[in-house]
C-alpha cells in the first residue's frame, strides 16, 4: 500500500489485516517500554492545517513507538501563514527527505492532490468534509472489540452527516466489513446524494433506536455539530436539535444493554450527546482514542514497514 487517502483504498482483506495488526500493536500500549524498532531511521511529518487533538497526537505517539522520527508542522507557525501554498509547503517538506506525510487540510481532496505532487507516502488525516480513513479504521477496531465481529451488525451514525468526513469513511469501511449502517439526522444535515450511499437513512432517531428502521441497533455513533463548516440555518435552535437528535439519558435507555456509544470527538456535551451517555459504562469514546494509537501504528507499519522486517516488529509487539 503506497498511500492511504480514503477508506475505499482498502479492500476488506486489507482492512482486516490492519485491524489484526493493530491488536498486536495494542500490546505495546500495555508495556512499560513502549518502543518497537520497526521504523527506525524513517521520518514522518505531521502536516496539519486544521486543529486536532486526538489525530495528531496519536499519529505522533504511533510513529514514536515504532521508533520513527516524527516532526509536526502546522499551518499556524509555519510559512503557510505567510501565504505559502499547500504544494510548495509539501515540496519543501519532502525536499528534506521525509518518508511519509500525514496530512490534515480543510479542503476536500487536498490529500489526493498532495499525493500527486510528492514522491513519499501520504496518509490522509482528514480532508474537509471528504474522508478520514484512519478514524474509520479505529471505529471499526473499537466496534470489533466491543461486538466481536462487524458482520450483520447494525450501526446508527447520528447527527451532522453532511459535514462529516468520519461518516463518509465509516459508511464505506463498516459496510465493506459486513455491517449495516443507518444515517440519522435532520434532512438539512444529510448530504445531497446520500440516497446512492450503501446505507439506510432516517430523520427519526427514536424510531431507529426502537429498531423500526432496518432492525435493532447494535451500536450508535454520535457526530459533532461542525459549527466551523456551517453558515447557520441547518436547524432552528441548539435546544431543538438536542431534543430531536441528542443522545439523552432517555434515548440511551432505548439502546440495548450491550450496545456501545461512540463519538469521534471532540464532543459538544449537551448538544449531540448528554454527559450521562458520554460518561456511561457503554461509552466507548476513550476506547476509540486508545484504539487510535494502535490502528495508526498498524497503518504506519503497513505503509512504511515494507516487506523487509515487519514480522520482527509485530512479534516484538506481542512480547
Ligand atoms: N475529529 C473528527 C474529525 O476531525 C470529528 C470532528 O471533528 O467532529 O473529523
Amino acid at each position: 500500500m503506497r498511500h492511504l487517502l480514503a477508506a475505499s483504498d482498502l479492500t476488506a482483506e486489507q482492512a482486516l489485516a490492519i485491524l489484526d495488526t493493530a491488536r498486536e500493536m495494542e500490546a505495546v500500549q500495555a508495556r512499560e517500554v513502549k518502543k518497537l524498532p520497526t521504523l527506525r531511521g524513517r521520518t514522518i511529518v505531521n502536516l496539519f492545517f486544521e486543529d486536532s487533538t486526538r489525530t495528531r497526537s496519536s499519529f505522533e505517539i504511533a510513529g514514536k513507538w515504532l521508533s520513527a522520527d516524527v516532526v509536526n508542522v502546522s499551518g499556524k507557525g509555519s510559512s503557510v501563514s505567510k501565504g505559502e501554498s499547500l504544494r510548495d509547503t509539501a515540496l519543501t517538506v519532502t525536499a528534506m527527505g521525509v518518508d511519509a506525510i500525514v496530512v490534515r487540510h480543510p479542503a476536500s481532496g487536498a490529500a489526493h492532490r498532495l499525493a500527486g505532487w510528492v514522491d513519499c507516502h501520504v496518509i490522509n488525516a482528514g480532508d474537509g468534509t471528504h474522508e478520514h480513513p484512519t478514524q474509520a479504521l479505529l471505529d471499526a477496531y473499537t466496534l470489533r472489540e466491543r461486538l466481536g465481529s462487524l458482520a450483520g451488525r447494525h450501526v446508527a451514525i447520528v447527527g451532522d452527516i453532511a459535514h462529516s468526513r468520519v461518516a463518509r469513511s465509516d459508511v464505506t469501511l463498516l459496510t465493506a466489513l459486513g455491517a449495516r449502517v443507518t444515517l440519522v439526522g435532520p434532512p438539512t444535515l444529510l448530504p445531497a446524494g446520500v440516497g446512492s450511499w450503501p446505507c439506510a437513512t432516517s430523520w427519526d432517531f427514536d424510531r431507529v433506536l426502537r429498531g423500526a428502521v432496518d432492525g435493532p441497533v447494535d451500536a450508535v455513533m454520535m457526530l459533532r455539530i461542525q459549527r466551523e463548516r456551517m453558515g447557520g440555518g441547518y436547524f432552528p435552535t441548539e435546544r431543538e436539535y438536542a431534543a430531536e437528535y441528542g443522545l439523552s439519558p432517555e434515548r440511551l435507555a432505548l439502546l440495548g444493554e450491550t450496545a456501545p456509544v461512540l463519538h469521534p470527538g471532540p464532543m459538544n456535551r449537551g448538544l449531540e450527546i448528554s454527559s450521562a451517555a458520554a460518561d456511561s459504562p457503554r461509552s466507548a469514546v476513550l476506547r476509540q482514542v486508545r484504539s487510535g494509537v494502535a490502528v495508526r501504528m498498524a497503518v504506519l507499519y503497513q505503509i512504511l514497514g515494507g516487506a523487509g522486517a515487519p514480522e520482527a516488529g509485530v512479534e516484538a509487539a506481542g512480547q
Side-chain angles (χ1 to χ4, degrees):
M1 188 169 38
R2 177 155 176 72
H3 305 299
L4 179 57
L5 304 176
S8 57
D9 289 351
L10 299 168
T11 63
E13 291 69 33
Q14 285 174 314
L16 288 172
I18 291 172
L19 300 184
D20 289 340
T21 305
R23 185 169 293 146
E24 296 182 60
M25 294 297 181
E26 202 177 340
V28 175
Q29 274 165 293
R31 287 172 24 173
E32 201 177 321
V33 178
K34 299 176 175 63
K35 276 276 188 197
L36 298 179
T38 319
L39 299 184
R40 196 162 45 205
R42 303 302 200 98
T43 304
I44 301 166
V45 170
N46 282 332
L47 190 56
F48 275 58
F49 297 89
E50 249 189 29
D51 295 343
S52 172
T53 301
R54 280 148 284 266
T55 306
R56 185 165 68 178
S57 51
S58 62
F59 264 113
E60 183 173 354
I61 291 169
K64 286 182 169 166
W65 285 358
L66 290 172
S67 301
D69 294 304
V70 183
V71 177
N72 290 310
V73 178
S74 62
K76 289 168 214 148
S78 72
S79 290
V80 171
S81 58
K82 297 181 184 170
E84 190 167 59
S85 69
L86 173 63
R87 184 170 184 271
D88 285 335
T89 305
L91 292 177
T92 301
V93 165
T94 48
M96 297 179 199
V98 309
D99 298 291
I101 294 179
V102 177
V103 62
R104 168 168 289 191
H105 198 279
S108 300
H112 284 82
R113 295 300 302 272
L114 194 95
W117 294 323
V118 299
D119 54 10
C120 64
H121 301 281
V122 176
I123 299 170
N124 184 2
D127 62 326
T129 59
H130 181 226
E131 280 267 2
H132 194 351
T134 58
Q135 177 73 43
L137 283 162
L138 77 86
D139 291 341
Y141 183 87
T142 305
L143 288 168
R144 230 175 152 216
E145 292 297 303
R146 287 285 176 110
L147 302 174
S149 156
L150 281 167
R153 298 299 193 164
H154 184 200
V155 182
I157 301 181
V158 187
D160 184 0
I161 314 288
H163 300 101
S164 177
R165 51 199 178 204
V166 176
R168 275 173 185 72
S169 295
D170 272 355
V171 168
T172 304
L173 189 72
L174 300 183
T175 56
L177 296 178
R180 287 173 291 125
V181 175
T182 299
L183 298 176
V184 186
T188 47
L189 289 178
L190 292 175
V194 73
S196 64
W197 294 22
C199 57
T201 55
S202 174
W203 303 345
D204 190 334
F205 193 13
D206 291 318
R207 279 194 75 224
V208 173
L209 285 175
R210 291 198 173 90
V213 180
D214 218 12
V217 170
D218 296 301
V220 74
M221 157 99 64
M222 305 308 298
L223 296 175
R224 183 173 66 90
I225 289 293
Q226 305 211 7
R227 294 186 183 94
E228 77 277 22
R229 300 191 209 280
M230 288 182 176
Y234 286 90
F235 45 85
T237 63
E238 292 198 346
R239 186 183 295 204
E240 281 168 271
Y241 179 85
E244 291 292 321
Y245 295 102
L247 189 58
S248 59
E250 296 72 32
R251 290 201 172 104
L252 186 67
L254 292 177
L255 262 182
E257 295 259 309
T258 54
V261 172
L262 288 81
H263 191 305
M267 294 185 281
N268 290 309
R269 286 175 183 255
L271 182 51
E272 72 264 1
I273 190 165
S274 62
S275 284
D279 301 329
S280 81
R282 270 181 284 178
S283 170
V285 174
L286 293 177
R287 184 69 182 87
Q288 288 171 278
V289 176
R290 185 178 169 84
S291 306
V293 178
V295 158
R296 288 172 177 130
M297 286 175 81
V299 167
L300 292 173
Y301 166 75
Q302 294 270 347
I303 290 184
L304 282 166
E311 294 341 311
V314 173
E315 274 163 23
Q319 285 168 10

